[in-house]
Each structure stands twice: as C-alpha cells, then as structure tokens.
Amino acid sequence: MSNANLYTVLSSGFPEDRKQIALETPDLLYTWEDVEQASACLANLLASLNLPEGSRVAVQVEKSPEALLLYLATLRAGLVYLPLNTAYREAEIAYFLKDAEPAVVVCSSKNLEWVSKVAEEAGTRHVFTLDEDRTGTLLSAAAQQPREFETVLREADDLAAILYTSGTTGRSKGAMLSHGNLASNAQVLHTYWGWRPDDVLLHMLPIFHVHGLFVASHGALLAGARMIWLPKLDVEQALRYLPRCTVMMGVPTYYVRLLAEERFNRDVCARMRLFISGSAPLLMETFNEFKARTGHTILERYGMSETVMLTSNPYYPAAGERLGGTVGKALPGVHVRVVDDRDEVLPVGEIGNVQVRGPNVFSGYWRMPEKTKEEFTTDGWFRTGDVGRFGGESGGAQVPADYLSIVGRSKDLIISGGYNVYPKEIELIIDEMPGVLESAVIGVAHPDFGEAVVAVVVPREGATIDTDAMQAELKTRIANFKVPKQLHVVDQLPRNTMGKVQKNVLRETYKTA
Ligand code: MCA
Ligand code: AMP
C-alpha cells in the first residue's frame, strides 16, 4: 500500500538532483537535500516527544524557511499542524489553544512569556521558540537529531491540519483537513495550472492560511520548483525578484499595490507565465488595468479554508478564456451547485447559495458535530455561505454556463486585505466596553484592502465615548486587521420592523467615510 501521507505525495515531485535550489531568501539558499534533512531533524524531534496519535502542533511564528520545514516535519511525523496568524493577540490565542489542546506549541521568543502561560492553561506540555533569524529552542533541539526520518504512514482520511476560521456567531471553528483533502487539491492544481520543474514562484503570502501554506507552497513543492521566499508583501522586493520568476500568487491587495508602482511594467514581468489572485474578489478595474500594463491576464480562483480550492479560471487557452469578475469553472473532481433556500438547484443565470462537494472538502469542524451537521446538506453538500451564479454576464460580456461568479455572501463576513473578519466577534467585544449600549460592525469599500472594517457605536444614556481610546483598547485585544479603521458614535442603529439592524443602511451611510 502506498503512503497517503501528504509529505510523501509532495516529495514525489522533488527533483532527482537534490542539490538543486528549493528555497531562496534574500540571504540564503536551501537545496532539496536541506529540505529533506532539516524536516527529518524536526520530525525526529517531534517523534522523540512520544505524543499520542493525532496530537496537534500549534504554531504562531514569523514567516521563515524553517517555519515551512516545521510544517513539513509535522506532516512527516504524522501529527496535526495548526497554524496561527501572527497578528492574533493573547485572548485569541488562549481560545485556540484551549479549544485545540495542542501537545506542542511553537511561538516567537518575544511572545514566549504569555504564550507559555496560555499553553500551560490549555494543558500543553511542550513549548518551543522559533524566530525568523534561525534562532530559538526548536532548532537547537532539532540540531541534535538524526538527518534521516522515515515518513510516518498515513491514510488519506487521517487529519493533517486544523485551520481556524471565524464564524457568524463570533466563535472560531477549526476546519479539519485530511492528508487526502490536501493532496488531491495539490495534484489537481498541479495539472490545471501547468506547474513545471523550471517554474520559479514568488512567495510573499503569509503561511498561516490556505493561500500561502497550501495553494502556493504545495504547488511549488509538488512541481519540484524553486520558491523565492519573502517574509511578506514588499513591492520593492517584488520588483527585484519578479524578472526571474514565472508564477506569483496574491490576494487582490497585492495586485493593487504592484499597480500603484510605476516601475511595475511589462519588462518586470518578462519571464512570468501566471499571476493568480484569490481569497477576496478581484475588482474588474484591477483585472483590466493589470492586463493593459503588463499584457498578463490575472487568473482568479475561489476557495475556502474548509475546502481548499474549488473553482479556477482556465490556465490553458484551450480550456477557455480567463474572465474577469468570475472565479472560473469547478476544478476537476470538484462539484459546485447554486441552489435556492430549499436546496433546489437553480437554472443557469440565477443567483443563489453556492454548495460544493469533492475529495478536497473537509470532514467537519473540530469538536463541533452540531455545527458540522448544520453546514452540510443531508446529501453531503457543504454550504459555503457564498452567493453566486453560473453564467450571466460580467463586464458587459456573456459568461459561459460553466463559469461561476461570486456575487455576495449570505454570511455576515468582511474580507479585508484577504483576511476574514466576522462582525459579530468585534461587536461582542465592543458591546462589553464601558459606556456602550450596542454596536454594529460593517465592511465598506477600501482602495487598498478591498473592504475595511468600520464600527458604529451607540452609547448608554449619559455616557460619552472616546473613539480614539476605544480603538487603542481594541488594538490590545484583537488582531490588528480586525480593529475598525473608523468608529462612529450614533444615538441609535437603524432597524427594520422585525427589530433587525439594517446593515445595508449603515453601509450606505458610511460608504464614503
Ligand atoms: C495589515 N493591516 C490591515 C491588514 N493587514 N488592515 C486591514 N486588513 C488587512 N489585511 C494594517 C495593520 O493593522 C497596520 O495598521 C497596518 O495595516 C500595517 O500593517 P502591516 O502588517 O505592515 O501591513 P502589510 O504588511 O502592508 O499587510 C497588508 C497585506 C497583508 C499585505 C495585505 O494583510 C496580507 O498579506 N494579506 C494576505 C492575507 C492572506 O494571505 N489571506 C489568505 C487567506 P496599524 O498600524 O494601524 O496597526 S486564505 C483564504 O482566504 C482562502 C482559503 C483563499 O481562497 O485563499
Ligand atoms: P477563508 O474562510 O479565509 O477560507 O475564506 C473563504 C472565503 O473567501 C470564501 O467563502 C469567499 O467568501 C472568499 N473568497 C475566496 N476567494 C474568493 C474570490 N476569488 N472571490 C470572492 N471571494 C473569495
């Protein structure tokens, strides 16, 4: 029986000549041999802890090649990887650790004090540090370990990773992804996007979410292609490296920022074969401007933490045109349908709820069987919470019947710079602040982030609210991208006859704020 461990699948694509370069940073080169040996040392370290099957390894560290190696090592050791956004603050991390009960936590040394405290409260026995300059207790301990490791056997259904996504109730849920979910998606995208061993990927995305960790990294690893590994989006660095690259992935803000730089032009993109956008809607304006400036048509695709990638515009011209304003066709093996509120399939051209199924779709939310049940139909389709349409029209052109467009969301969600923000989570925190009667959080158009978080707050009778102090307080309690860019104080919130807050009215009122 072949090993369904995702690492085994990915490493089947590593080049025969392991002396070739796998990862390049502005200062260092890592060969494929380095990737194998360093991930083996780390896997040996994890194995030496004698953890029970299915143990979670929670990681909140700055992006570095070693952070990627730790992810690969966790797969190799057969443990479950749990990446955490570096912007999360203590209360947020405390929730995740309490919920996931990881056996191992790896954090930045600057956060060690408070992370150790919350890890202990969650019952975690092993806390290591890992910093972006290759220091920390994790690497010191791994350095003592052998450089060979036999990747642990895993079945396709075994859990590989848990990704936390927020929810409309304000309580985050851990999406459980198996080795099979991730491997099937990597293999489909490998073919669909025409990955080649001589590709060079410009990797500037964070590696604590699906986009940077799975879609981008898996693509290059499985192709045995080189990654230029930068800690974050940096337009100067992008201009420096793009002339050597063939593939880039980003959320729409990446493309907006590149276009804002005059030096970004056709010459810079001379070797590029593919620019991919996802995680949030790409504006038609950005799609068109990019084409005019560079001659390249951005390929937009659509996915979720719970499902990895679902649909994509075509890469090969024979498979169809790349159409702005659409997210393309269901990927091979993935099924997508648009239904009404009774789960009845709608005709092409009609707008409804997007539901999906396929080998990439997760098995459920960590320790939330009831929530999981709610999100699946009785016949096994996952309710994405996105609202879409097959066919119809986009940018004045007719869209083929098998192309999906995302036109809205039934879930109350804001996507800011590619990060999801659930209003309920922020409203619950604001409502508990002194002098606050109630609040409503909305998303408004933002030129850089696509959408920005805005809060509208009603004070209690006789109370006054200092919005600057409130914003400063929020910054200490929640990840910075969730903190409202603006806070407005009003006497009352607009409500409909049922007493429900009319967020559409607020969005209209504050759209130019
Ligand atoms: C940073 N800031 C933000 C955001 N990022 N505000 C709103 N939304 C954001 N996304 C604020 C900080 O709070 C700070 O404000 C100021 O901007 C500068 O912070 P800094 O960290 O320096 O910002 P940056 O480096 O310029 O980052 C912006 C960014 C980054 C490059 C757009 O957010 C990013 O890389 N986003 C990608 C997210 C991503 O990978 N999503 C994929 C999810 P202050 O100084 O006031 O505190 S996976 C997914 O969605 C699905 C599965 C899919 O389909 O892919
Ligand atoms: P996450 O929970 O971070 O996995 O975010 C998943 C959500 O991002 C989806 O349910 C969509 O609402 C949104 N999304 C991802 N890609 C796109 C896209 N290309 N266009 C519009 N929305 C997208």
Side-chain angles (χ1 to χ4, degrees):
M1 195 191 76
S2 68
N3 189 356
N5 189 307
L6 173 63
Y7 178 82
T8 307
V9 176
L10 296 173
S11 60
S12 69
F14 292 4
E16 230 160 84
D17 175 6
R18 301 288 214 254
K19 298 283 181 208
Q20 285 182 27
I21 304 302
L23 282 175
E24 173 180 344
T25 73
D27 311 309
L28 292 167
L29 296 175
Y30 294 70
T31 64
W32 292 96
E33 187 177 71
D34 294 333
V35 169
E36 274 180 331
Q37 293 185 350
S39 64
C41 291
L42 287 160
N44 275 310
L45 172 65
L46 292 171
S48 73
L49 305 175
N50 291 317
L51 304 172
E53 178 122 339
S55 292
R56 280 77 60 206
V57 177
V59 179
Q60 191 199 29
V61 298
E62 296 298 332
K63 183 177 175 186
S64 69
E66 287 68 27
L68 179 70
L69 295 169
L70 172 59
Y71 162 58
L72 296 177
T74 306
L75 295 176
R76 294 188 76 174
L79 301 172
V80 179
Y81 193 69
L82 196 171
L84 294 164
N85 194 319
T86 48
Y88 292 147
R89 314 301 300 243
E90 184 171 334
E92 292 161 307
I93 296 291
Y95 170 82
F96 296 125
L97 299 192
K98 205 164 156 229
D99 193 56
E101 296 181 320
V104 179
V105 171
V106 184
C107 66
S108 301
S109 48
K110 65 173 189 293
N111 298 334
L112 180 61
E113 206 177 308
W114 64 260
V115 173
S116 300
K117 188 177 83 160
V118 295
E120 197 187 328
E121 282 162 12
T124 304
R125 294 217 340 263
H126 308 280
V127 179
F128 294 98
T129 58
L130 173 63
D131 292 323
E132 58 272 42
D133 59 357
R134 289 178 295 139
T135 58
T137 57
L138 183 80
L139 296 182
S140 327
Q144 321 295 324
Q145 296 288 335
R147 292 168 176 211
E148 276 179 16
F149 182 84
E150 192 163 339
T151 297
V152 168
L153 280 176
R154 288 288 96 168
E155 305 271 345
D157 284 345
D158 286 336
L159 199 53
I162 298 180
L163 268 82
Y164 274 87
T165 74
S166 308
T168 40
T169 58
R171 200 173 153 218
S172 289
K173 306 160 288 184
M176 299 191 288
L177 293 160
S178 68
H179 287 263
N181 293 147
L182 298 172
S184 69
N185 211 237
Q187 284 163 326
V188 163
L189 294 176
H190 178 78
T191 310
Y192 204 78
W193 291 343
W195 275 101
R196 305 191 303 236
D198 61 348
D199 271 326
V200 179
L201 171 73
L202 182 58
H203 196 305
M204 300 188 287
L205 284 159
I207 54 163
F208 35 69
H209 287 306
V210 160
H211 200 161
L213 184 63
F214 301 148
V215 190
S217 307
H218 287 177
L221 291 167
L222 186 58
R226 180 187 294 221
M227 285 191 255
I228 298 197
W229 193 257
L230 300 178
K232 57 188 275 201
L233 168 64
D234 176 335
V235 172
E236 271 313 309
Q237 294 278 37
L239 290 174
R240 174 179 162 200
Y241 285 109
L242 270 172
R244 285 177 44 213
C245 293
T246 61
V247 181
M248 182 191 134
M249 295 188 199
V251 304
T253 303
Y254 285 41
Y255 296 108
V256 169
R257 291 199 188 169
L258 281 173
L259 285 170
E261 173 51 65
E262 269 176 29
R263 290 171 294 158
F264 179 66
N265 57 26
R266 275 172 198 255
D267 293 342
V268 172
C269 307
R271 276 203 71 205
M272 285 294 297
R273 68 171 183 90
L274 183 56
F275 287 98
I276 299 176
S277 176
S279 309
L282 180 74
L283 293 183
M284 207 58 195
E285 194 184 308
T286 313
F287 177 86
N288 287 333
E289 196 186 334
F290 201 90
K291 200 168 181 174
R293 180 90 70 88
T294 65
H296 284 275
T297 309
I298 298 178
L299 177 155
E300 185 171 5
R301 66 19 167 218
Y302 157 65
M304 294 181 74
S305 300
E306 289 91 334
T307 64
V308 216
M309 295 301 99
L310 293 163
T311 72
S312 172
N313 269 281
Y315 170 64
Y316 293 107
E321 220 185 316
R322 282 178 223 163
L323 295 174
T326 84
V327 293
K329 311 182 196 201
L331 285 165
V334 178
H335 303 276
V336 180
R337 67 181 193 183
V338 174
V339 300
D340 63 17
D341 288 338
R342 289 168 302 139
D343 294 340
E344 301 286 343
V345 175
L346 288 168
V348 167
E350 286 196 25
I351 291 174
N353 305 314
V354 178
Q355 297 184 346
V356 298
R357 61 184 303 168
N360 50 313
V361 176
F362 78 138
S363 58
Y365 295 110
W366 173 255
R367 290 178 181 165
M368 286 190 183
E370 286 308 312
K371 188 77 203 161
T372 302
K373 216 168 135 197
E374 272 171 34
E375 301 300 329
F376 281 90
T377 64
T378 44
D379 53 347
W381 292 80
F382 174 60
R383 307 176 197 276
T384 63
D386 290 309
V387 172
R389 164 183 70 200
F390 278 110
E393 63 138 51
S394 173
Q398 195 61 35
V399 172
D402 55 349
Y403 279 59
L404 181 74
S405 300
I406 302 295
V407 299
R409 298 164 203 144
S410 59
K411 50 195 174 191
D412 190 12
L413 163 72
I414 301 166
I415 306 185
S416 175
Y419 288 138
N420 291 5
V421 182
Y422 277 86
K424 191 76 190 167
E425 184 188 347
I426 325 287
E427 288 163 2
L428 287 173
I429 295 173
I430 294 180
D431 291 354
E432 278 181 4
M433 291 180 147
V436 175
L437 181 65
E438 60 172 351
S439 64
V441 168
I442 52 168
V444 302
H446 189 278
D448 186 30
F449 294 127
E451 282 182 286
V453 179
V454 167
V456 186
V457 186
V458 182
R460 286 185 186 283
E461 216 180 306
T464 46
I465 285 174
D466 176 346
T467 51
D468 288 344
M470 183 175 269
Q471 201 175 35
E473 166 72 11
L474 286 168
K475 278 190 182 181
T476 67
R477 295 181 52 181
I478 49 175
N480 56 14
F481 62 86
K482 296 180 192 169
V483 175
K485 303 279 180 225
Q486 291 167 12
L487 288 133
H488 300 279
V489 178
V490 296
D491 291 339
Q492 57 180 32
L493 297 173
R495 292 185 188 274
N496 64 16
T497 46
M498 311 286 288
K500 198 170 169 324
V501 175
Q502 291 171 302
K503 289 203 168 175
N504 52 337
V505 173
L506 291 174
R507 278 186 214 108
E508 187 56 32
T509 310
Y510 296 105
K511 69 176 182 202
T512 52

